[in-house]
Amino acid sequence: QVQVVESGGGSVQAGGSLRLSCALTGYTYIGGCMGWFRQAPGKEREGVAVLYIGSGGTTYYDSMKDRVTISRDNAKNTMYLQMNSLKPEDTAMYYCAARRSVAYCATPHGEQYDYWGRGTQVTVSS
């Protein structure tokens, strides 16, 4: 059974940084991609960044472009999201997701992803 577990969220002041982690277990091979998405109260879920597992390529959505870096430690089966220059509007629940296929990895809201974590809360105060 595939499990996705996020960690690393917390409360920071504006301008601060956080690094989120996503551990993926219980699978033999995920050939597609892993992504970070976020959802603020009353808002639609939106993409933050995607990492293509086979090629190592990345896609960054406009939501946090130039302020985040997505990476993966293959030995640890863990993906990371380094977030810098955080703003109050970045306050949201951040979700990690995995998809078996590379098709539709960069959908705006992650509609095609196969596995989701429960999320980790990020709160940015002004």
Side-chain angles (χ1 to χ4, degrees):
Q1 182 179 357
V2 177
Q3 288 189 318
V4 180
V5 180
E6 306 95 335
S7 61
S11 297
V12 296
Q13 290 190 327
S17 299
L18 280 174
R19 188 177 80 155
L20 306 183
S21 299
C22 172
L24 187 64
T25 62
Y27 69 99
T28 54
Y29 181 70
I30 296 289
C33 53
M34 295 180 70
W36 286 100
F37 297 84
R38 69 180 187 179
Q39 187 167 22
K43 294 189 176 181
E44 198 171 22
R45 184 174 65 201
E46 62 178 355
V48 177
V50 172
L51 186 146
Y52 294 84
I53 294 173
S55 67
T58 58
T59 294
Y60 292 96
Y61 294 82
D62 290 341
S63 58
M64 298 186 76
K65 199 171 184 178
D66 299 329
R67 298 189 291 122
V68 297
T69 302
I70 190 171
S71 61
R72 186 168 185 255
D73 185 329
N74 292 327
K76 296 181 179 179
N77 294 331
T78 300
M79 182 176 69
Y80 303 97
L81 184 71
Q82 177 67 44
M83 305 188 295
N84 301 319
S85 302
L86 285 164
K87 306 174 182 179
E89 50 264 43
D90 294 322
T91 295
M93 187 70 80
Y94 284 71
Y95 296 93
C96 175
R99 175 158 170 76
R100 294 188 298 267
S101 168
V102 295
Y104 304 107
C105 279
T107 53
H109 310 293
E111 300 93 330
Q112 303 295 336
Y113 278 69
D114 302 297
Y115 309 105
W116 288 86
R118 293 188 174 184
T120 185
Q121 177 68 38
V122 172
T123 302
V124 185
S125 59
S126 57

